[in-house]
Amino acid sequence: MSDPLYQAEILALARQGRAIGRLEEPTVSARIDNPICGDRVTVDLRIEDGRIVAVGAKVQGCALCQAATAIIAGEAVGAPVATLEHAGAAVAAYLAGQVAEDGLPWAQLGSFAPVRGARPRHDCVLLPFKAASKALSQREAVSS
């Protein structure tokens, strides 16, 4: 591809994102659709003792959406729930130019540097994080 957004690292992550499957028995699950571009992401999380022990997903979206899902699946397992919540806010701030790359909780999120200048594509990266956040909010609603 000649599009500067789709560099080799993003494409490699996207391949990983396409290979992620759904979890059979998630603790929480949520789907988010982007009606503007048609992307759709479902994120499944299995949570035990405040930590994410498994991530599943189904991505029907562009390479940026798939790549972000792959990063979540690769980095969130074993992490406290709060780390995933923080990662979504951090990548949004990073894309908006409010946080430097060294302020990201997961180094691979720096792969989205080319997207920073492409404001309309920020939602593609953020969609899986929004799905994860929605899933986590369901958990909080059940435990309240």
Side-chain angles (χ1 to χ4, degrees), residues 5 7 10 94-95 101 108-118:
L5 297 181
Q7 296 180 2
I10 294 287
Y94 174 69
L95 292 172
E101 190 170 329
Q108 280 192 310
L109 292 173
S111 302
F112 297 114
V115 183
R116 292 177 88 175

Side-chain angles (χ1 to χ4, degrees), residues 77-89:
V77 174
V81 167
T83 300
L84 178 54
E85 293 170 334
H86 170 68

Side-chain angles (χ1 to χ4, degrees), residues 55-116:
V55 176
K58 180 177 180 183
V59 182
Q60 296 171 286
C62 70
L64 295 171
C65 195
Q66 293 166 351
T69 303
I71 292 172
I72 292 170
E75 297 287 346
V77 174
V81 167
T83 300
L84 178 54
E85 293 170 334
H86 170 68
V91 75
Y94 174 69
L95 292 172
Q98 300 166 349
V99 170
E101 190 170 329
D102 63 358
L104 293 170
W106 300 328
Q108 280 192 310
L109 292 173
S111 302
F112 297 114
V115 183
R116 292 177 88 175

